[in-house]
């Protein structure tokens, strides 16, 4: 019974979203707030970003993530180019971009030294519109620089 209720609710949300479909037009902007989880080191992080559609179906998204490792401090800045391959309430995209990590591995008995690593991002994601003013943003990404992390991002996106 629960499965049938969930499936019916999902179909209603999808059909309602089809009626209010929105494309990725030049000049649109979305603000993002998300959580990040790395699969290799199992570090959690939180971040924010701003997505700007400079051409139809192409967006650039700078984002900053504060990572919470077991020891020390870490953060990440990414500048990603996104290409949306679908329109409507569920919009899938491919992304690639520049990424820079900063980490301070504080050691016992002394201060840490901040190290910086530069590299690239690649990934795939989706934006699923929930209502007019908010959508769910999901992403799987792989980073080439140290710590060479593959991870997931889940969050909310707010069209401005």
């Amino acid at each position: 019974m629960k499965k049938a209720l969930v499936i019916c609710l999902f179909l209603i949300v999808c059909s309602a979203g089809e009626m209010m479909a929105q494309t990725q037009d030049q000049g649109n902007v979305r603000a993002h707030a998300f959580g990040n989880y790395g699969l290799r080191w199992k570090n959690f992080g939180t971040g924010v970003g701003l997505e700007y559609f400079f051409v139809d179906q192409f967006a650039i998204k700078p984002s900053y993530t504060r990572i919470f490792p077991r020891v020390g401090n870490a953060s990440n800045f990414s500048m990603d180019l996104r290409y949306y391959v679908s329109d409507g309430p569920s919009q899938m995209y491919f992304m690639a971009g520049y990424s820079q990590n900063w980490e301070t591995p504080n050691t016992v008995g002394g201060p840490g030294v901040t190290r910086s690593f530069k590299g690239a991002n690649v990934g795939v994601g989706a934006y699923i519109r929930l209502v007019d003013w908010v959508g769910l943003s999901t992403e799987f990404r792989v980073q080439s620089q140290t710590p060479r992390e593959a991870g997931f991002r889940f969050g909310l996106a707010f069209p401005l």
Side-chain angles (χ1 to χ4, degrees):
M1 181 66 182
K2 289 181 183 179
K3 288 182 183 178
L5 184 59
V6 170
I7 291 171
C8 287
L9 182 61
F10 178 74
L11 292 174
I12 290 170
V13 169
C14 287
S15 64
E18 290 286 340
M19 291 184 272
M20 301 184 314
Q22 181 182 18
T23 61
Q24 308 89 10
D25 295 327
Q26 181 178 355
N28 288 352
V29 178
R30 292 180 187 150
H32 291 258
F34 54 85
N36 188 66
Y37 182 74
L39 297 175
R40 181 177 182 191
W41 301 107
K42 308 208 182 331
N43 290 331
F44 178 75
T46 59
V48 294
L50 195 63
E51 181 178 24
Y52 174 71
F53 289 89
F54 61 94
V55 178
D56 292 351
Q57 297 186 324
F58 281 92
I60 190 159
K61 181 187 171 212
S63 64
Y64 175 79
T65 307
R66 177 80 171 137
I67 303 167
F68 305 103
R70 291 185 188 106
V71 177
N73 299 313
S75 59
N76 173 270
F77 172 77
S78 295
M79 180 68 77
D80 300 325
L81 176 66
R82 294 178 167 192
Y83 171 65
Y84 283 82
V85 294
S86 62
D87 283 336
S90 179
Q91 303 166 359
M92 186 178 140
Y93 62 85
F94 296 103
M95 54 85 56
Y98 166 82
S99 185
Q100 184 165 358
N101 284 356
W102 293 273
E103 64 179 36
T104 306
N106 293 337
T107 57
V108 177
V113 175
T114 301
R115 298 183 297 178
S116 178
F117 304 99
K118 298 174 185 168
N121 296 326
V122 294
V124 62
Y127 168 79
I128 302 164
R129 194 162 91 177
L130 301 174
V131 291
D132 284 343
W133 58 274
V134 68
L136 177 66
S137 178
T138 62
E139 184 174 283
F140 175 76
R141 66 175 32 216
V142 177
Q143 295 180 330
S144 67
Q145 77 277 9
T146 299
R148 291 182 181 79
E149 186 78 89
F152 291 100
R153 284 186 173 183
F154 295 100
L156 298 175
F158 303 92
L160 303 177

